PDB file of all heavy atoms in Angstrom:
ATOM      1  N   ASP A 146     -17.996   4.772  24.270  1.00 97.00           N
ATOM      2  CA  ASP A 146     -17.904   4.057  25.503  1.00 97.00           C
ATOM      3  C   ASP A 146     -17.890   2.650  25.241  1.00 97.00           C
ATOM      4  O   ASP A 146     -18.935   1.957  25.254  1.00 97.00           O
ATOM      5  CB  ASP A 146     -19.120   4.569  26.422  1.00 97.00           C
ATOM      6  CG  ASP A 146     -19.011   4.013  27.833  1.00 97.00           C
ATOM      7  OD1 ASP A 146     -18.141   3.047  28.097  1.00 97.00           O
ATOM      8  OD2 ASP A 146     -19.697   4.516  28.738  1.00 97.00           O
ATOM      9  N   THR A 147     -16.703   2.174  24.983  1.00 96.00           N
ATOM     10  CA  THR A 147     -16.644   0.693  24.557  1.00 96.00           C
ATOM     11  C   THR A 147     -17.021  -0.234  25.721  1.00 96.00           C
ATOM     12  O   THR A 147     -17.488  -1.422  25.433  1.00 96.00           O
ATOM     13  CB  THR A 147     -15.241   0.282  24.077  1.00 96.00           C
ATOM     14  OG1 THR A 147     -14.276   0.740  25.152  1.00 96.00           O
ATOM     15  CG2 THR A 147     -14.959   1.116  22.831  1.00 96.00           C
ATOM     16  N   GLU A 148     -16.917   0.094  26.945  1.00 97.00           N
ATOM     17  CA  GLU A 148     -17.318  -0.743  28.090  1.00 97.00           C
ATOM     18  C   GLU A 148     -18.862  -1.026  27.997  1.00 97.00           C
ATOM     19  O   GLU A 148     -19.331  -2.016  28.459  1.00 97.00           O
ATOM     20  CB  GLU A 148     -16.941  -0.180  29.394  1.00 97.00           C
ATOM     21  CG  GLU A 148     -15.406  -0.163  29.670  1.00 97.00           C
ATOM     22  CD  GLU A 148     -15.008   0.367  30.998  1.00 97.00           C
ATOM     23  OE1 GLU A 148     -15.934   0.452  31.805  1.00 97.00           O
ATOM     24  OE2 GLU A 148     -13.817   0.551  31.177  1.00 97.00           O
ATOM     25  N   LYS A 149     -19.590  -0.050  27.510  1.00 98.00           N
ATOM     26  CA  LYS A 149     -21.044  -0.151  27.361  1.00 98.00           C
ATOM     27  C   LYS A 149     -21.493  -0.549  25.967  1.00 98.00           C
ATOM     28  O   LYS A 149     -22.615  -0.479  25.587  1.00 98.00           O
ATOM     29  CB  LYS A 149     -21.714   1.141  27.770  1.00 98.00           C
ATOM     30  CG  LYS A 149     -21.594   1.447  29.273  1.00 98.00           C
ATOM     31  CD  LYS A 149     -22.326   2.751  29.556  1.00 98.00           C
ATOM     32  CE  LYS A 149     -22.166   3.065  31.013  1.00 98.00           C
ATOM     33  NZ  LYS A 149     -22.790   4.389  31.427  1.00 98.00           N
ATOM     34  N   GLU A 150     -20.407  -0.837  25.096  1.00 98.00           N
ATOM     35  CA  GLU A 150     -20.618  -1.110  23.748  1.00 98.00           C
ATOM     36  C   GLU A 150     -21.342  -0.018  22.939  1.00 98.00           C
ATOM     37  O   GLU A 150     -22.234  -0.326  22.124  1.00 98.00           O
ATOM     38  CB  GLU A 150     -21.323  -2.512  23.625  1.00 98.00           C
ATOM     39  CG  GLU A 150     -20.516  -3.662  24.201  1.00 98.00           C
ATOM     40  CD  GLU A 150     -21.165  -5.030  24.078  1.00 98.00           C
ATOM     41  OE1 GLU A 150     -22.389  -5.089  23.758  1.00 98.00           O
ATOM     42  OE2 GLU A 150     -20.391  -5.992  24.337  1.00 98.00           O
ATOM     43  N   LEU A 151     -20.929   1.222  23.222  1.00 98.00           N
ATOM     44  CA  LEU A 151     -21.446   2.369  22.570  1.00 98.00           C
ATOM     45  C   LEU A 151     -20.367   2.962  21.721  1.00 98.00           C
ATOM     46  O   LEU A 151     -19.344   3.306  22.134  1.00 98.00           O
ATOM     47  CB  LEU A 151     -21.929   3.414  23.522  1.00 98.00           C
ATOM     48  CG  LEU A 151     -23.067   3.040  24.532  1.00 98.00           C
ATOM     49  CD1 LEU A 151     -23.362   4.139  25.589  1.00 98.00           C
ATOM     50  CD2 LEU A 151     -24.352   2.710  23.719  1.00 98.00           C
ATOM     51  N   TYR A 152     -20.701   2.937  20.350  1.00 98.00           N
ATOM     52  CA  TYR A 152     -19.813   3.459  19.330  1.00 98.00           C
ATOM     53  C   TYR A 152     -20.658   3.766  18.111  1.00 98.00           C
ATOM     54  O   TYR A 152     -21.837   3.410  18.030  1.00 98.00           O
ATOM     55  CB  TYR A 152     -18.682   2.414  18.934  1.00 98.00           C
ATOM     56  CG  TYR A 152     -19.112   1.024  19.208  1.00 98.00           C
ATOM     57  CD1 TYR A 152     -19.982   0.380  18.321  1.00 98.00           C
ATOM     58  CD2 TYR A 152     -18.678   0.296  20.297  1.00 98.00           C
ATOM     59  CE1 TYR A 152     -20.376  -0.996  18.485  1.00 98.00           C
ATOM     60  CE2 TYR A 152     -18.955  -1.008  20.506  1.00 98.00           C
ATOM     61  CZ  TYR A 152     -19.915  -1.679  19.563  1.00 98.00           C
ATOM     62  OH  TYR A 152     -20.293  -2.931  19.742  1.00 98.00           O
ATOM     63  N   PRO A 153     -20.110   4.546  17.170  1.00 97.00           N
ATOM     64  CA  PRO A 153     -20.857   4.993  15.976  1.00 97.00           C
ATOM     65  C   PRO A 153     -21.271   3.779  15.215  1.00 97.00           C
ATOM     66  O   PRO A 153     -20.462   2.831  14.963  1.00 97.00           O
ATOM     67  CB  PRO A 153     -19.882   5.887  15.117  1.00 97.00           C
ATOM     68  CG  PRO A 153     -18.840   6.296  16.208  1.00 97.00           C
ATOM     69  CD  PRO A 153     -18.737   5.144  17.179  1.00 97.00           C
ATOM     70  N   MET A 154     -22.495   3.788  14.642  1.00 98.00           N
ATOM     71  CA  MET A 154     -22.988   2.769  13.747  1.00 98.00           C
ATOM     72  C   MET A 154     -24.043   3.413  12.755  1.00 98.00           C
ATOM     73  O   MET A 154     -24.703   4.295  13.144  1.00 98.00           O
ATOM     74  CB  MET A 154     -23.740   1.623  14.537  1.00 98.00           C
ATOM     75  CG  MET A 154     -22.898   0.883  15.522  1.00 98.00           C
ATOM     76  SD  MET A 154     -23.776  -0.450  16.389  1.00 98.00           S
ATOM     77  CE  MET A 154     -24.868   0.539  17.344  1.00 98.00           C
ATOM     78  N   PRO A 155     -24.116   2.900  11.545  1.00 97.00           N
ATOM     79  CA  PRO A 155     -25.196   3.395  10.611  1.00 97.00           C
ATOM     80  C   PRO A 155     -26.548   3.357  11.284  1.00 97.00           C
ATOM     81  O   PRO A 155     -27.315   4.227  11.058  1.00 97.00           O
ATOM     82  CB  PRO A 155     -25.025   2.542   9.459  1.00 97.00           C
ATOM     83  CG  PRO A 155     -23.546   2.080   9.470  1.00 97.00           C
ATOM     84  CD  PRO A 155     -23.242   1.904  10.922  1.00 97.00           C
ATOM     85  N   LEU A 156     -26.788   2.311  11.940  1.00 96.00           N
ATOM     86  CA  LEU A 156     -28.172   2.078  12.596  1.00 96.00           C
ATOM     87  C   LEU A 156     -28.576   3.377  13.537  1.00 96.00           C
ATOM     88  O   LEU A 156     -29.657   3.837  13.528  1.00 96.00           O
ATOM     89  CB  LEU A 156     -28.257   0.801  13.414  1.00 96.00           C
ATOM     90  CG  LEU A 156     -29.629   0.386  13.883  1.00 96.00           C
ATOM     91  CD1 LEU A 156     -30.553   0.156  12.730  1.00 96.00           C
ATOM     92  CD2 LEU A 156     -29.464  -0.847  14.741  1.00 96.00           C
ATOM     93  N   THR A 157     -27.508   3.801  14.296  1.00 97.00           N
ATOM     94  CA  THR A 157     -27.845   4.915  15.305  1.00 97.00           C
ATOM     95  C   THR A 157     -27.625   6.280  14.621  1.00 97.00           C
ATOM     96  O   THR A 157     -28.207   7.240  15.099  1.00 97.00           O
ATOM     97  CB  THR A 157     -27.014   4.731  16.512  1.00 97.00           C
ATOM     98  OG1 THR A 157     -25.566   4.671  16.066  1.00 97.00           O
ATOM     99  CG2 THR A 157     -27.293   3.523  17.286  1.00 97.00           C
ATOM    100  N   ALA A 158     -26.838   6.347  13.509  1.00 95.00           N
ATOM    101  CA  ALA A 158     -26.642   7.659  12.861  1.00 95.00           C
ATOM    102  C   ALA A 158     -27.748   8.061  11.933  1.00 95.00           C
ATOM    103  O   ALA A 158     -27.890   9.211  11.551  1.00 95.00           O
ATOM    104  CB  ALA A 158     -25.288   7.638  12.201  1.00 95.00           C
ATOM    105  N   THR A 159     -28.443   7.002  11.378  1.00 95.00           N
ATOM    106  CA  THR A 159     -29.447   7.243  10.388  1.00 95.00           C
ATOM    107  C   THR A 159     -30.500   8.192  10.954  1.00 95.00           C
ATOM    108  O   THR A 159     -31.083   7.917  12.042  1.00 95.00           O
ATOM    109  CB  THR A 159     -30.121   5.945   9.859  1.00 95.00           C
ATOM    110  OG1 THR A 159     -29.092   5.144   9.199  1.00 95.00           O
ATOM    111  CG2 THR A 159     -31.271   6.176   9.022  1.00 95.00           C
ATOM    112  N   GLY A 160     -30.868   9.158  10.273  1.00 94.00           N
ATOM    113  CA  GLY A 160     -31.933  10.111  10.676  1.00 94.00           C
ATOM    114  C   GLY A 160     -31.341  11.292  11.623  1.00 94.00           C
ATOM    115  O   GLY A 160     -32.115  12.151  11.970  1.00 94.00           O
ATOM    116  N   GLN A 161     -30.072  11.183  11.863  1.00 94.00           N
ATOM    117  CA  GLN A 161     -29.494  12.202  12.743  1.00 94.00           C
ATOM    118  C   GLN A 161     -28.630  13.266  11.875  1.00 94.00           C
ATOM    119  O   GLN A 161     -27.960  12.841  10.968  1.00 94.00           O
ATOM    120  CB  GLN A 161     -28.544  11.549  13.756  1.00 94.00           C
ATOM    121  CG  GLN A 161     -29.112  10.532  14.578  1.00 94.00           C
ATOM    122  CD  GLN A 161     -30.283  11.008  15.440  1.00 94.00           C
ATOM    123  OE1 GLN A 161     -30.131  12.041  16.156  1.00 94.00           O
ATOM    124  NE2 GLN A 161     -31.356  10.318  15.521  1.00 94.00           N
ATOM    125  N   TYR A 162     -28.806  14.528  12.227  1.00 91.00           N
ATOM    126  CA  TYR A 162     -27.976  15.570  11.566  1.00 91.00           C
ATOM    127  C   TYR A 162     -26.527  15.606  11.910  1.00 91.00           C
ATOM    128  O   TYR A 162     -25.694  15.918  11.091  1.00 91.00           O
ATOM    129  CB  TYR A 162     -28.594  16.946  11.702  1.00 91.00           C
ATOM    130  CG  TYR A 162     -29.902  17.063  10.926  1.00 91.00           C
ATOM    131  CD1 TYR A 162     -31.155  16.881  11.512  1.00 91.00           C
ATOM    132  CD2 TYR A 162     -29.803  17.455   9.584  1.00 91.00           C
ATOM    133  CE1 TYR A 162     -32.280  17.011  10.761  1.00 91.00           C
ATOM    134  CE2 TYR A 162     -30.990  17.500   8.833  1.00 91.00           C
ATOM    135  CZ  TYR A 162     -32.232  17.325   9.411  1.00 91.00           C
ATOM    136  OH  TYR A 162     -33.340  17.466   8.748  1.00 91.00           O
ATOM    137  N   ASP A 163     -26.223  15.230  13.191  1.00 93.00           N
ATOM    138  CA  ASP A 163     -24.784  15.190  13.697  1.00 93.00           C
ATOM    139  C   ASP A 163     -24.124  13.910  13.231  1.00 93.00           C
ATOM    140  O   ASP A 163     -24.780  12.860  13.132  1.00 93.00           O
ATOM    141  CB  ASP A 163     -24.747  15.246  15.198  1.00 93.00           C
ATOM    142  CG  ASP A 163     -25.173  16.595  15.704  1.00 93.00           C
ATOM    143  OD1 ASP A 163     -25.257  17.594  14.923  1.00 93.00           O
ATOM    144  OD2 ASP A 163     -25.412  16.746  16.913  1.00 93.00           O
ATOM    145  N   CYS A 164     -22.894  14.058  12.966  1.00 92.00           N
ATOM    146  CA  CYS A 164     -21.990  12.802  12.729  1.00 92.00           C
ATOM    147  C   CYS A 164     -21.566  12.266  13.960  1.00 92.00           C
ATOM    148  O   CYS A 164     -21.207  12.992  14.894  1.00 92.00           O
ATOM    149  CB  CYS A 164     -20.795  13.276  11.856  1.00 92.00           C
ATOM    150  SG  CYS A 164     -21.186  13.679  10.173  1.00 92.00           S
ATOM    151  N   GLU A 165     -21.655  10.929  14.076  1.00 94.00           N
ATOM    152  CA  GLU A 165     -21.120  10.215  15.269  1.00 94.00           C
ATOM    153  C   GLU A 165     -19.608   9.985  15.139  1.00 94.00           C
ATOM    154  O   GLU A 165     -19.186   9.528  14.065  1.00 94.00           O
ATOM    155  CB  GLU A 165     -21.921   8.882  15.471  1.00 94.00           C
ATOM    156  CG  GLU A 165     -23.349   9.085  15.712  1.00 94.00           C
ATOM    157  CD  GLU A 165     -24.064   7.814  16.057  1.00 94.00           C
ATOM    158  OE1 GLU A 165     -23.465   6.643  15.882  1.00 94.00           O
ATOM    159  OE2 GLU A 165     -25.217   7.864  16.452  1.00 94.00           O
ATOM    160  N   VAL A 166     -18.900  10.170  16.211  1.00 94.00           N
ATOM    161  CA  VAL A 166     -17.482   9.911  16.203  1.00 94.00           C
ATOM    162  C   VAL A 166     -17.156   9.096  17.443  1.00 94.00           C
ATOM    163  O   VAL A 166     -17.678   9.368  18.541  1.00 94.00           O
ATOM    164  CB  VAL A 166     -16.587  11.224  16.332  1.00 94.00           C
ATOM    165  CG1 VAL A 166     -15.201  10.966  16.394  1.00 94.00           C
ATOM    166  CG2 VAL A 166     -16.875  12.066  15.075  1.00 94.00           C
ATOM    167  N   GLY A 167     -16.353   7.971  17.246  1.00 96.00           N
ATOM    168  CA  GLY A 167     -16.016   7.210  18.396  1.00 96.00           C
ATOM    169  C   GLY A 167     -14.830   6.182  18.110  1.00 96.00           C
ATOM    170  O   GLY A 167     -14.188   6.390  17.052  1.00 96.00           O
ATOM    171  N   ARG A 168     -14.681   5.305  18.981  1.00 97.00           N
ATOM    172  CA  ARG A 168     -13.546   4.319  18.869  1.00 97.00           C
ATOM    173  C   ARG A 168     -12.236   5.075  18.843  1.00 97.00           C
ATOM    174  O   ARG A 168     -11.275   4.733  18.127  1.00 97.00           O
ATOM    175  CB  ARG A 168     -13.725   3.394  17.641  1.00 97.00           C
ATOM    176  CG  ARG A 168     -14.834   2.459  17.641  1.00 97.00           C
ATOM    177  CD  ARG A 168     -14.767   1.276  18.630  1.00 97.00           C
ATOM    178  NE  ARG A 168     -13.465   0.742  18.811  1.00 97.00           N
ATOM    179  CZ  ARG A 168     -12.922  -0.224  17.991  1.00 97.00           C
ATOM    180  NH1 ARG A 168     -13.523  -0.615  17.003  1.00 97.00           N
ATOM    181  NH2 ARG A 168     -11.663  -0.607  18.243  1.00 97.00           N
ATOM    182  N   LEU A 169     -12.182   6.173  19.620  1.00 96.00           N
ATOM    183  CA  LEU A 169     -10.935   7.017  19.639  1.00 96.00           C
ATOM    184  C   LEU A 169      -9.862   6.247  20.290  1.00 96.00           C
ATOM    185  O   LEU A 169     -10.001   5.683  21.400  1.00 96.00           O
ATOM    186  CB  LEU A 169     -11.103   8.311  20.401  1.00 96.00           C
ATOM    187  CG  LEU A 169     -12.160   9.316  19.835  1.00 96.00           C
ATOM    188  CD1 LEU A 169     -12.317  10.498  20.767  1.00 96.00           C
ATOM    189  CD2 LEU A 169     -11.699   9.707  18.409  1.00 96.00           C
ATOM    190  N   ARG A 170      -8.625   6.218  19.665  1.00 97.00           N
ATOM    191  CA  ARG A 170      -7.553   5.465  20.265  1.00 97.00           C
ATOM    192  C   ARG A 170      -6.218   5.895  19.576  1.00 97.00           C
ATOM    193  O   ARG A 170      -6.190   6.326  18.470  1.00 97.00           O
ATOM    194  CB  ARG A 170      -7.702   3.965  20.134  1.00 97.00           C
ATOM    195  CG  ARG A 170      -7.819   3.513  18.721  1.00 97.00           C
ATOM    196  CD  ARG A 170      -8.684   2.180  18.608  1.00 97.00           C
ATOM    197  NE  ARG A 170      -8.799   1.646  17.338  1.00 97.00           N
ATOM    198  CZ  ARG A 170      -9.727   1.949  16.427  1.00 97.00           C
ATOM    199  NH1 ARG A 170     -10.512   2.877  16.700  1.00 97.00           N
ATOM    200  NH2 ARG A 170      -9.684   1.350  15.290  1.00 97.00           N
ATOM    201  N   LYS A 171      -5.180   5.746  20.296  1.00 96.00           N
ATOM    202  CA  LYS A 171      -3.769   5.969  19.697  1.00 96.00           C
ATOM    203  C   LYS A 171      -3.594   4.826  18.625  1.00 96.00           C
ATOM    204  O   LYS A 171      -3.921   3.691  18.881  1.00 96.00           O
ATOM    205  CB  LYS A 171      -2.718   5.900  20.770  1.00 96.00           C
ATOM    206  CG  LYS A 171      -2.673   7.208  21.568  1.00 96.00           C
ATOM    207  CD  LYS A 171      -1.419   7.118  22.469  1.00 96.00           C
ATOM    208  CE  LYS A 171      -1.438   8.364  23.400  1.00 96.00           C
ATOM    209  NZ  LYS A 171      -0.284   8.442  24.232  1.00 96.00           N
ATOM    210  N   SER A 172      -2.916   5.287  17.538  1.00 96.00           N
ATOM    211  CA  SER A 172      -2.719   4.331  16.395  1.00 96.00           C
ATOM    212  C   SER A 172      -1.580   3.394  16.820  1.00 96.00           C
ATOM    213  O   SER A 172      -0.539   3.804  17.308  1.00 96.00           O
ATOM    214  CB  SER A 172      -2.257   5.116  15.221  1.00 96.00           C
ATOM    215  OG  SER A 172      -1.798   4.345  14.278  1.00 96.00           O
ATOM    216  N   LEU A 173      -1.687   2.089  16.608  1.00 96.00           N
ATOM    217  CA  LEU A 173      -0.657   1.151  16.794  1.00 96.00           C
ATOM    218  C   LEU A 173       0.502   1.335  15.704  1.00 96.00           C
ATOM    219  O   LEU A 173       1.611   1.047  16.009  1.00 96.00           O
ATOM    220  CB  LEU A 173      -1.173  -0.269  16.685  1.00 96.00           C
ATOM    221  CG  LEU A 173      -2.177  -0.757  17.820  1.00 96.00           C
ATOM    222  CD1 LEU A 173      -2.675  -2.143  17.532  1.00 96.00           C
ATOM    223  CD2 LEU A 173      -1.378  -0.697  19.137  1.00 96.00           C
ATOM    224  N   VAL A 174       0.157   1.951  14.581  1.00 96.00           N
ATOM    225  CA  VAL A 174       1.067   2.194  13.597  1.00 96.00           C
ATOM    226  C   VAL A 174       1.913   3.386  13.927  1.00 96.00           C
ATOM    227  O   VAL A 174       3.191   3.339  13.809  1.00 96.00           O
ATOM    228  CB  VAL A 174       0.421   2.369  12.217  1.00 96.00           C
ATOM    229  CG1 VAL A 174       1.462   2.784  11.135  1.00 96.00           C
ATOM    230  CG2 VAL A 174      -0.308   1.102  11.798  1.00 96.00           C
TER     231      VAL A 174
END
Side-chain angles (χ1 to χ4, degrees):
D146 188 343
T147 56
E148 288 183 16
K149 294 181 180 176
E150 298 180 347
L151 297 173
Y152 28 73
M154 296 182 294
L156 188 65
T157 55
T159 295
Q161 304 297 316
Y162 285 97
D163 289 346
C164 289
E165 294 184 353
V166 176
R168 297 288 322 278
L169 296 176
R170 59 208 185 271
K171 284 187 182 179
S172 169
L173 291 176
V174 174

